[in-house]
PDB file of all heavy atoms in Angstrom:
ATOM      1  N   TYR A1394     -34.296  -9.799  -4.878  1.00  0.00           N
ATOM      2  CA  TYR A1394     -34.914  -8.490  -4.629  1.00  0.00           C
ATOM      3  C   TYR A1394     -36.221  -8.571  -3.830  1.00  0.00           C
ATOM      4  O   TYR A1394     -36.557  -7.656  -3.104  1.00  0.00           O
ATOM      5  CB  TYR A1394     -35.166  -7.756  -5.966  1.00  0.00           C
ATOM      6  CG  TYR A1394     -36.314  -8.338  -6.753  1.00  0.00           C
ATOM      7  CD1 TYR A1394     -37.597  -7.788  -6.677  1.00  0.00           C
ATOM      8  CD2 TYR A1394     -36.134  -9.454  -7.565  1.00  0.00           C
ATOM      9  CE1 TYR A1394     -38.650  -8.340  -7.379  1.00  0.00           C
ATOM     10  CE2 TYR A1394     -37.181 -10.014  -8.256  1.00  0.00           C
ATOM     11  CZ  TYR A1394     -38.439  -9.457  -8.159  1.00  0.00           C
ATOM     12  OH  TYR A1394     -39.478 -10.012  -8.832  1.00  0.00           O
ATOM     13  N   PRO A1538     -29.264 -16.871  20.370  1.00  0.00           N
ATOM     14  CA  PRO A1538     -29.363 -17.627  19.113  1.00  0.00           C
ATOM     15  C   PRO A1538     -30.366 -16.981  18.166  1.00  0.00           C
ATOM     16  O   PRO A1538     -31.549 -16.982  18.437  1.00  0.00           O
ATOM     17  CB  PRO A1538     -29.826 -19.019  19.556  1.00  0.00           C
ATOM     18  CG  PRO A1538     -30.421 -18.840  20.908  1.00  0.00           C
ATOM     19  CD  PRO A1538     -29.949 -17.548  21.491  1.00  0.00           C
ATOM     20  N   THR A1550     -23.026 -26.849  -9.275  1.00  0.00           N
ATOM     21  CA  THR A1550     -23.563 -26.498 -10.592  1.00  0.00           C
ATOM     22  C   THR A1550     -25.043 -26.851 -10.710  1.00  0.00           C
ATOM     23  O   THR A1550     -25.614 -26.808 -11.794  1.00  0.00           O
ATOM     24  CB  THR A1550     -22.761 -27.207 -11.703  1.00  0.00           C
ATOM     25  OG1 THR A1550     -22.696 -28.595 -11.379  1.00  0.00           O
ATOM     26  CG2 THR A1550     -21.363 -26.647 -11.819  1.00  0.00           C
ATOM     27  N   ILE A1552     -29.012 -26.489  -8.544  1.00  0.00           N
ATOM     28  CA  ILE A1552     -29.722 -25.800  -7.457  1.00  0.00           C
ATOM     29  C   ILE A1552     -30.266 -26.797  -6.430  1.00  0.00           C
ATOM     30  O   ILE A1552     -30.389 -26.472  -5.245  1.00  0.00           O
ATOM     31  CB  ILE A1552     -30.877 -24.930  -8.016  1.00  0.00           C
ATOM     32  CG1 ILE A1552     -30.295 -23.822  -8.906  1.00  0.00           C
ATOM     33  CG2 ILE A1552     -31.699 -24.305  -6.896  1.00  0.00           C
ATOM     34  CD1 ILE A1552     -31.321 -22.888  -9.505  1.00  0.00           C
ATOM     35  N   ALA A1558     -31.060 -28.835   1.193  1.00  0.00           N
ATOM     36  CA  ALA A1558     -30.555 -28.342   2.486  1.00  0.00           C
ATOM     37  C   ALA A1558     -31.585 -27.395   3.102  1.00  0.00           C
ATOM     38  O   ALA A1558     -31.902 -27.482   4.292  1.00  0.00           O
ATOM     39  CB  ALA A1558     -29.225 -27.630   2.297  1.00  0.00           C
ATOM     40  N   VAL A1564     -37.516 -27.325   8.390  1.00  0.00           N
ATOM     41  CA  VAL A1564     -38.081 -28.211   9.424  1.00  0.00           C
ATOM     42  C   VAL A1564     -37.514 -27.805  10.789  1.00  0.00           C
ATOM     43  O   VAL A1564     -38.248 -27.642  11.769  1.00  0.00           O
ATOM     44  CB  VAL A1564     -37.763 -29.702   9.107  1.00  0.00           C
ATOM     45  CG1 VAL A1564     -38.180 -30.605  10.258  1.00  0.00           C
ATOM     46  CG2 VAL A1564     -38.425 -30.118   7.793  1.00  0.00           C
ATOM     47  N   HIS A1665      -8.332 -24.238 -15.971  1.00  0.00           N
ATOM     48  CA  HIS A1665      -8.425 -22.793 -16.227  1.00  0.00           C
ATOM     49  C   HIS A1665      -8.144 -22.579 -17.705  1.00  0.00           C
ATOM     50  O   HIS A1665      -7.108 -23.044 -18.208  1.00  0.00           O
ATOM     51  CB  HIS A1665      -7.396 -22.020 -15.392  1.00  0.00           C
ATOM     52  CG  HIS A1665      -7.773 -21.907 -13.954  1.00  0.00           C
ATOM     53  ND1 HIS A1665      -8.321 -20.772 -13.407  1.00  0.00           N
ATOM     54  CD2 HIS A1665      -7.705 -22.795 -12.942  1.00  0.00           C
ATOM     55  CE1 HIS A1665      -8.579 -20.962 -12.128  1.00  0.00           C
ATOM     56  NE2 HIS A1665      -8.204 -22.190 -11.819  1.00  0.00           N
ATOM     57  N   GLY A1674      -2.469 -16.187 -34.632  1.00  0.00           N
ATOM     58  CA  GLY A1674      -3.096 -17.122 -35.573  1.00  0.00           C
ATOM     59  C   GLY A1674      -2.173 -18.262 -35.989  1.00  0.00           C
ATOM     60  O   GLY A1674      -2.321 -18.816 -37.081  1.00  0.00           O
ATOM     61  N   PRO A1685       7.927 -22.544 -12.890  1.00  0.00           N
ATOM     62  CA  PRO A1685       9.365 -22.721 -12.642  1.00  0.00           C
ATOM     63  C   PRO A1685       9.690 -23.466 -11.350  1.00  0.00           C
ATOM     64  O   PRO A1685      10.867 -23.612 -11.012  1.00  0.00           O
ATOM     65  CB  PRO A1685       9.894 -21.292 -12.547  1.00  0.00           C
ATOM     66  CG  PRO A1685       8.721 -20.396 -12.550  1.00  0.00           C
ATOM     67  CD  PRO A1685       7.481 -21.196 -12.503  1.00  0.00           C
ATOM     68  N   ASP A1696      -1.643 -31.103 -21.429  1.00  0.00           N
ATOM     69  CA  ASP A1696      -2.177 -31.501 -22.743  1.00  0.00           C
ATOM     70  C   ASP A1696      -3.194 -30.490 -23.271  1.00  0.00           C
ATOM     71  O   ASP A1696      -4.301 -30.841 -23.675  1.00  0.00           O
ATOM     72  CB  ASP A1696      -2.828 -32.896 -22.652  1.00  0.00           C
ATOM     73  CG  ASP A1696      -1.789 -33.947 -22.323  1.00  0.00           C
ATOM     74  OD1 ASP A1696      -0.659 -33.855 -22.829  1.00  0.00           O
ATOM     75  OD2 ASP A1696      -2.105 -34.865 -21.527  1.00  0.00           O
TER      76      ASP A1696
END
Side-chain angles (χ1 to χ4, degrees):
Y1394 73 96
T1550 51
I1552 296 181
V1564 173
H1665 285 259
D1696 295 322

